[in-house]
Amino acid sequence: QVQLVESGGGLVQAGGSLRLSCAASGRTFSSYAMGWFRQAPGKEREFVAAISWSGGNTYYADSVKGRFTISRDNAKNTVYLQMNSLKPEDTAVYYCAADQGGTIATMTYFYDYWGQGTQVTVSS
């Protein structure tokens, strides 16, 4: 069982930056691939970024490529999402998720555990 707790969300102006963190419990964190997803009001949850168990591979949605960076620290059981050049359309609840498969996945059904989410609001 893995429990995930996101933090770091908030209100920021367009062009600003935020860093989200996702702290995981459990001894097997380092074997999980991790992903970030987001969900805006009235929209489906969408993939943002993912990182393999080792951190050696990453993948991004086209909408955030070049602006967001996913990373992980297995010693701290934490995954991060650095978000730069934020836009109003990035406003959403951001969720981290853990995939026991260990490799990168973009679809929600591959992920086994989810955090409760953290709100990110970007004002224009």
Side-chain angles (χ1 to χ4, degrees):
Q1 187 78 6
V2 175
Q3 292 186 321
L4 304 172
V5 179
E6 301 97 334
S7 61
L11 173 64
V12 64
Q13 289 188 333
S17 298
L18 283 174
R19 188 175 83 153
L20 305 183
S21 298
C22 174
S25 65
R27 295 175 293 175
T28 57
F29 171 79
S30 61
S31 68
Y32 287 75
M34 299 297 295
W36 285 97
F37 290 76
R38 65 187 182 187
Q39 189 166 17
K43 294 187 176 182
E44 292 189 353
R45 192 168 298 189
E46 66 173 3
F47 170 78
V48 176
I51 189 166
S52 61
W53 67 272
S54 67
N57 292 301
T58 58
Y59 190 76
Y60 298 91
D62 287 343
S63 58
V64 307
K65 200 173 295 182
R67 299 188 298 123
F68 291 10
T69 302
I70 188 171
S71 61
R72 68 190 296 161
D73 185 338
N74 286 343
K76 295 183 178 180
N77 280 13
T78 302
V79 63
Y80 304 97
L81 185 68
Q82 178 67 45
M83 306 186 295
N84 299 329
S85 302
L86 282 161
K87 305 175 182 180
E89 51 263 44
D90 293 319
T91 295
V93 177
Y94 282 71
Y95 299 89
C96 72
D99 170 16
Q100 295 183 69
T103 56
I104 287 174
T106 62
M107 306 300 289
T108 57
Y109 54 77
F110 281 106
Y111 288 84
D112 305 287
Y113 303 102
W114 293 82
Q116 83 290 348
T118 185
Q119 176 71 47
V120 171
T121 303
V122 184
S123 63
S124 57

